[in-house]
Each structure stands twice: as C-alpha cells, then as structure tokens.
C-alpha cells in the first residue's frame, strides 16, 4: 500500500526523445533546428513565448523593478517587431487567481522617425505594426533632437582651431551659439551628419541621438523601464563593435541585459536569448510584420564601418561555429560595471561614463607626427572668452569621433544639457573641497583618537 501511494505521488516520467521528431511533443516532425535542437512549428512558437516571459521576469527581479509603465522601443526591424508582439501577449495573458497584479501599470510603444535622413524608410509600415499591437503609439522625429526645451536655447559648436592633426595636440573646445532662425531642425540634423567624415562616426552619432530621444520620450511619458530589441546576434556584434571603438569601460552598460545607468529609466533587453534565425521564423509563423530599416552602410562593403565589419565577422564565424554568438553573450553576462565607471561623469556627447584620463591614454596610444608633437601651437579660439574646453568631459570613443569632425559642426541640444550637468557636479565637488579645506584644522583625525584610547 505504501509503495502504491508513493508511486501515485511521483510525477509521470518524461517521455524519451524520439529520433527525428520534435524535442517537445515528440510526435510531430520538426520544422526548424536551433542549435541542433529540433522543434515543430507549434512547439517552437510556444517555446519562444515561454523564453521571452522568463527573460523579462528574471530581469524585473534582478533590477527589483517596481510596478511602472513600460515603453517598448520599436525600430520596425524583425527583432523589435517580434518583441512588441511578445510584450503584448505577455500583458494580455490569462492570470490565475483574482489577486494577481499585472507586471506593469501600462505599456506604450515608442518610435524614432528617421525619414529625415533616410527618405526610403517604411514609416507607414511601422505605424501599421504599432497599430496592430493595440498599444498606445508615440512617435518622435529624429530632427527633434534640436528642438529647444525649457530654458534651453544655446547649442554647442566645435571651434575650428581647437583640433590639431596629432592626438597629443587635441584640445576639444566648443562655444555656445544661437541657432539661426532660418535653419529648420531638419537642416540642423543634416548639417550635423554632414560634418561627420566617416560612416562609422555617422552610425555612432545616429545611435547616440536615437538613444537620447527614446530616453527623453520615456521620461515625458513617465515610463520607468524601456525595452530594447537587441537579439543575441545583435548583442554579439555590438560587443565586438564597442570593443573596437574603445568603449570597454561602458560595455556592460551599453550591451548588458539590464542597465540602470540612465537616470530614472531602466533599460532591459529581453530578446538577448534569441538569435536572428529564431526571430525570423517566429515572425513568419505568427504572421508578424516587420519593416526595412536602412542605415548609412546599407548595401555597402563589409569594410564600410566598424559595425559593418563586426557584423560580417560574427555572422560568418557563427555560420561555421554555431556556438559563437552564445559564447560572446555568456562572456558579456560575466562583465559588471567597474566602480570608477559608475562614479565617472557622463560624456557630453554619448552620455556614457567618461574616463578622467581618456585624453592622456589616447595620446599614448595614437601615432602622432613628431614635428607636430614638438611644436605645440596655442589655438586661437581656445583662448577666447566664449570658448569652453570640453576635453575632460569626453569619453575615449567620442574624442576619436570629434577628432575627425568638421570644425564648426553644431552638436545636438542634449549635449548642452549634459555639459551643464557636468559643470554643476564639478562646481559642487569644488565647493565641497573648499569647505573641507577651511575646516580641516578643526577635524579630529581617526588615528589620533585611536592612539589616545591606547
């Protein structure tokens, strides 16, 4: 009797694997192979939904995210479109019990319109994708990055004579200028990217501008979290590209599964466990729309930019070695932001941590002309009263980008805000040091107190 009751309490044994059949149901022939694992169509879709829910739930627990409004960043590509569908299903799924609380107070969709730079972008298709989700949809134009905010009128313009040919002579100076009344925001945006000389710098600036607009939209809508649709393949490419840019210090913040670097907004990447093949078949079998998203290197050679080269390297290597992408992603998960990165001031341009000694480090690594190094000319504009030295406010990667930028280029408006915040924090630190110096003689040293006790 005891043996019978024990056997009844045990869960039923798992069915053995059936060669040539789906690994889940074991009765249907497979339709797809993911990392040498066979799935049928229905089981693959269900497994994708479960994997997304698990990833999003784990991220909420890791960052201790309270109930808040969620913004889904929609670019229109395959990954973000699949993320939008999975998020909508996550919010609409049936819950057991009447006391179950929803994971988020609300979900909205945010999109950055890039038609100003890429007239061939499928903005109408992206609007249709957002409308089919049934979620509130908000769109900001890329040129809105030059729109003035409250009490914000001046823009930062790079000074012409502040950048010398050699890295050891670089002194990044800018001045505050008033935008011309005749220049539209679209003209200012086009002038910004026209001042960038390489496709790599243009791709970097485009990513910076889009991130700033999404974060601003999230704050305006009072969203506490933003979902980005970076897939596992995209994450592996991003790791290689950021490393090539010299962004190792901010790598966990820019490509990690969760990031709390942005003030008041948590960034979550729940598609990190999906490779591009999974996303493509999920969209196909669930009839999820996706739009074509052009960029500066679309249709270009593999050496068109660092990002394009990193993408070709990862895709071709993963084709012969399927464990390439998972290995890179697992290595990234082991990286944690360093203490000095979290304590560093944000870069004026990209907003990521700016290394205090980035300029000196860059001077040691860069090959300069010996004649330029011996003769140290003093820039004319750098000595002007209206010029600001922003060298210490730039990270290593942004210094490389501005080194090749055409003089006179006007930076986006959020750079002025980040420069003002950096100056305020520096002034606060200086005031603290001055106050410390004034009361230094009245402070009791801990060592003196310990000696007196003995």
């Amino acid at each position: 009797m005891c043996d019978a009751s024990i056997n009844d309490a045990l869960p039923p044994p798992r069915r053995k694997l059936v060669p040539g059949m789906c690994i889940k149901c074991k009765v249907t022939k497979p339709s797809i192979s993911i990392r040498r694992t066979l799935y049928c169509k229905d089981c693959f879709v269900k497994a994708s939904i479960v994997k997304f829910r698990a990833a999003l739930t784990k991220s909420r627990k890791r960052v201790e995210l309270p109930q808040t409004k969620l913004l889904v960043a929609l670019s229109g590509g395959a990954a973000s479109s699949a993320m939008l569908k999975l998020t909508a299903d996550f919010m609409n799924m049936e819950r057991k019990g009447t006391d179950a609380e929803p994971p988020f107070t609300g979900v909205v969709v945010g999109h950055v319109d890039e038609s100003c730079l890429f007239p061939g972008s499928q903005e109408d298709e992206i609007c249709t994708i957002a409308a089919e989700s049934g979620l509130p949809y908000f769109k900001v134009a890329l040129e809105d990055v030059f729109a003035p905010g409250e009490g914000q009128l001046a823009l930062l313009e790079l000074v012409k004579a502040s950048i010398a040919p050699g890295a050891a002579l670089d002194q990044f100076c800018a001045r505050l200028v008033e935008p011309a009344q005749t220049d539209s925001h679209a003209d200012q945006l086009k002038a910004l990217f026209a001042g960038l000389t390489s496709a790599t710098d243009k791709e970097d600036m485009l990513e910076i501008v889009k991130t700033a607009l999404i974060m601003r939209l999230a704050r305006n809508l009072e969203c506490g979290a933003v979902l980005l649709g970076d897939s596992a393949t995209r994450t592996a490419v991003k790791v290689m590209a950021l490393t090539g840019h010299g962004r190792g210090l901010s790598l966990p913040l820019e490509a990690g599964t969760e990031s709390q670097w942005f003030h008041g907004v948590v960034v979550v990447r729940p598609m990190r466990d999906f490779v591009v093949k999974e996303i493509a078949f999920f969209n196909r079998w669930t009839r999820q729309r996706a739009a074509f998203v052009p960029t500066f290197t679309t249709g270009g050679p593999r050496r068109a930019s660092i990002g394009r080269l990193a993408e070709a390297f990862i895709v071709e290597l993963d084709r012969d070695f399927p464990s390439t992408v998972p290995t890179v992603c697992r290595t990234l998960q082991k990286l944690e932001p360093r203490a000095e990165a979290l304590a560093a001031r944000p870069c004026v341009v990209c907003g990521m941590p700016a290394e205090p000694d980035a300029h000196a480090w860059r001077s040691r690594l860069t090959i300069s002309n010996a004649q330029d190094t011996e003769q140290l000319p003093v820039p004319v504009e750098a000595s002007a009263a209206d010029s600001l030295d922003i060298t210490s406010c730039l990270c290593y990667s942004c210094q490389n980008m501005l080194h090749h930028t055409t003089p006179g280029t006007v930076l986006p408006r959020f750079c002025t805000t980040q420069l003002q915040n950096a100056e305020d924090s520096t002034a606060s630190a200086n005031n603290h040091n001055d106050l410390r110096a004034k009361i230094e003689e009245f402070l009791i040293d801990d060592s003196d107190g310990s000696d007196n006790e003995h």
Side-chain angles (χ1 to χ4, degrees):
M1 295 295 294
C2 295
D3 295 339
S5 61
I6 293 176
N7 293 332
D8 294 340
L10 293 176
R14 299 180 61 182
R15 288 182 292 179
K16 295 182 180 180
L17 297 178
V18 179
M21 292 296 177
C22 172
I23 193 174
K24 291 290 184 180
C25 64
K26 302 175 179 63
V27 294
T28 308
K29 291 185 178 181
S31 302
I32 185 175
S33 174
I34 302 295
R35 301 189 187 98
R36 299 179 181 178
T37 303
L38 303 178
Y39 293 94
C40 66
K41 176 181 176 180
D42 295 336
C43 291
F44 170 76
V45 173
K46 294 178 182 178
S48 300
I49 296 174
V50 171
K51 182 163 59 173
F52 177 82
R53 292 177 179 176
L56 188 56
T57 303
K58 290 179 181 178
S59 296
R60 290 181 57 226
K61 293 181 179 180
R62 276 196 292 262
V63 298
E64 298 179 357
L65 187 65
Q67 280 190 320
T68 183
K69 187 186 292 185
L70 185 68
L71 186 142
V72 180
L74 176 66
S75 66
S80 65
S81 299
M83 181 182 65
L84 177 60
K85 181 176 181 58
L86 290 168
T87 304
D89 293 342
F90 178 82
M91 294 298 297
N92 296 331
M93 67 179 182
E94 296 181 358
R95 302 186 177 279
K96 297 180 180 180
T98 57
D99 297 333
E101 296 182 353
F104 302 101
T105 57
V107 179
V108 297
V109 183
H111 170 65
V112 178
D113 186 353
E114 306 177 29
S115 58
C116 178
L117 292 180
F118 308 103
S121 59
Q122 301 176 349
E123 294 299 327
D124 295 337
E125 181 70 14
I126 296 175
C127 292
T128 304
I129 295 173
E132 290 178 349
S133 67
L135 299 174
Y137 174 60
F138 298 90
K139 180 174 67 173
V140 292
L142 199 63
E143 58 268 24
D144 289 345
V145 74
F146 285 96
E150 296 182 1
Q152 204 179 50
L153 296 176
L155 296 173
L156 275 179
E157 179 186 17
L158 293 179
V159 180
K160 180 178 181 180
S162 62
I163 301 179
L169 307 180
D170 279 357
Q171 184 181 7
F172 299 94
C173 295
R175 62 185 176 187
L176 296 175
V177 296
E178 297 292 340
Q181 298 294 334
T182 57
D183 294 340
S184 63
H185 297 159
D187 294 335
Q188 295 175 4
L189 180 69
K190 294 177 181 179
L192 168 65
F193 284 91
L196 303 173
T197 57
S198 67
T200 297
D201 295 340
K202 292 181 179 180
E203 286 183 343
D204 291 347
M205 182 58 71
L206 179 61
E207 188 70 21
I208 291 171
V209 171
K210 289 167 61 177
T211 301
L213 289 174
I214 285 294
M215 293 301 138
R216 188 173 70 181
L217 180 62
R219 295 187 182 98
N220 293 339
L221 298 176
E222 298 181 352
C223 297
V226 173
L227 296 189
L228 299 181
D230 292 344
S231 64
T233 308
R234 172 60 183 164
T235 300
V237 173
K238 201 171 184 179
V239 168
M240 300 301 296
L242 291 176
T243 304
H245 285 304
R247 290 188 174 274
L249 185 67
S250 61
L251 185 59
L253 302 175
E254 295 190 70
T257 307
E258 304 95 13
S259 176
Q260 300 182 7
W261 171 256
F262 300 96
H263 178 68
V265 180
V266 178
V267 175
V268 181
R269 298 175 174 88
M271 302 295 290
R272 256 273 303 270
D273 296 330
F274 293 81
V275 296
V276 291
K277 180 180 178 180
E278 294 177 88
I279 294 173
F281 276 91
F282 177 83
N283 289 344
R284 178 182 179 182
W285 286 336
T286 58
R287 298 181 179 180
Q288 174 61 33
R289 293 170 177 254
F292 171 69
V293 183
T295 184
F296 291 102
T297 57
T298 300
R302 56 184 299 167
R303 295 186 180 183
S305 66
I306 293 180
R308 179 72 181 85
L309 183 61
E311 179 183 7
F313 172 75
I314 290 294
V315 171
E316 293 178 4
L317 187 61
D318 190 71
R319 186 182 304 156
D320 298 329
F321 302 95
S323 61
T324 300
V325 170
T327 301
V328 176
C329 293
R330 284 195 300 267
T331 303
L332 176 62
Q333 290 179 349
K334 300 178 182 178
L335 301 180
E336 295 183 358
R338 301 176 60 180
E340 52 265 32
L342 298 177
R345 70 172 67 180
C347 174
V348 170
V349 178
C350 66
M352 288 291 113
E355 308 91 327
D357 55 346
H359 184 256
W361 183 45
R362 179 170 173 270
S363 300
R364 292 193 300 267
L365 295 178
T366 307
I367 300 176
S368 304
N369 193 340
Q371 182 179 0
D372 295 335
T373 307
E374 294 175 358
Q375 301 176 359
L376 300 177
V378 179
V380 178
E381 287 84 357
S383 60
D386 60 344
S387 181
L388 302 173
D389 188 358
I390 61 174
T391 306
S392 60
C393 302
L394 297 172
C395 66
Y396 172 82
S397 179
C398 289
Q399 288 187 16
N400 287 335
M401 179 174 59
L402 296 185
H403 176 78
H404 303 287
T405 302
T406 304
T409 300
V410 179
L411 299 178
R413 194 172 294 277
F414 61 81
C415 296
T416 308
T417 304
Q418 294 178 159
L419 178 62
Q420 182 63 39
N421 295 337
E423 291 179 349
D424 293 342
S425 61
T426 302
S428 177
N430 293 336
N431 293 336
H432 175 76
N433 294 334
D434 294 341
L435 180 61
R436 175 85 182 184
K438 292 180 181 179
I439 65 175
E440 185 72 30
E441 57 180 327
F442 300 101
L443 298 178
I444 300 176
D445 192 357
D446 294 339
S447 60
D448 296 339
S450 59
D451 293 340
N452 295 334
E453 291 178 0
H454 292 291

